[in-house]
Amino acid sequence: MFELPELPYGESELEPFMSRETLREHHGKHHRKYVDTLNELVAGSPLATETLETIIRHTAGSADAEERKMFNNAAQHWNHSFFWQSTGPGGSGEPGPELSALIERDLGGLAGFHDEFLGQASEHFGSGWAWLVFDGTSLAVMTTHDADTPLAQGKTALLGCDLWEHAYYLDFQSRRAEYLAAWLEHLVQWQFAEQNLSENGHGAHPELTFAPDEPVAW
Ligand code: MN3
């Protein structure tokens, strides 16, 4: 059984940038629903004992309607778990030297990263996610639609931010750019990005990190 990971901080600790009400809805209801639905869908299926990452890779791009549902819920579980770790109190500031050097080389420094991230994420049409990724050679900013995830595209995610309206509507109404600016300036956990780069950034694919019956690592 997959489980909803606990938030690595208290529900009020991201205020005023992300409210307790938002986290209660977003983590406690939206994310929980993806986990519950995923468990229902995999029960009794050949994928029941597989890891989350294997389920995502196996069902990505499937034409089968049941597998599409499984992909959507598995990827949303993965994306949200990743988002909670990308986000935290006392965030932003500057990444360490290795990641800073890559950001300088590939994105024109932290200001360039902010511009690119804010631009792509603001303009992304509809629901989805914004990411900082490493493709084995260089860093890039990208967005994915709906539940889609860099994991399914063979890219290493370093940071991820939820662009679904449920992520910001209670705090910012429809002002997505304000939500993104607050996230970039106050909540980004560069240590998490560095950890992802050092653990997964040197190969083409991130390694499998947890099995269904193990406690979720994040
Ligand atoms: Mn969400």
Side-chain angles (χ1 to χ4, degrees), residues 26 80 162 166:
H26 195 182
H80 281 89
D162 195 331
H166 65 229

Side-chain angles (χ1 to χ4, degrees), residues 16 85 109 121 127 147 155 157 160 170 179 184 187 196 202:
Q85 295 288 110
S127 296
K155 295 189 165 81
L170 290 177
Y179 152 72
L184 284 168
L187 300 176
N196 290 318
H202 300 299

Side-chain angles (χ1 to χ4, degrees), residues 3-7 9 11 18-36 80-81 83-84 162 166 170:
E3 287 178 21
L4 181 70
E6 290 203 17
L7 288 173
Y9 32 79
E11 283 177 334
M18 202 178 284
S19 67
R20 179 184 199 182
E21 289 70 27
T22 288
L23 284 178
R24 284 200 164 170
E25 285 291 314
H26 195 182
H27 173 261
K29 295 189 182 164
H30 289 279
H31 188 173
R32 184 184 302 281
K33 178 83 169 122
Y34 295 125
V35 175
D36 290 348
H80 281 89
S81 301
F83 174 53
W84 305 131
D162 195 331
H166 65 229
L170 290 177

Side-chain angles (χ1 to χ4, degrees), residues 60-105:
S62 174
D64 178 82
E66 280 303 299
E67 290 201 345
R68 287 301 304 163
K69 270 194 231 171
M70 213 181 282
F71 174 81
N72 285 336
N73 286 280
Q76 282 295 72
H77 175 29
W78 194 95
N79 289 347
H80 281 89
S81 301
F82 195 88
F83 174 53
W84 305 131
Q85 295 288 110
S86 299
T87 303
S92 298
E94 294 190 3
E98 188 193 1
L99 183 51
S100 282
L102 288 176
I103 290 173
E104 194 66 40
R105 187 194 70 184

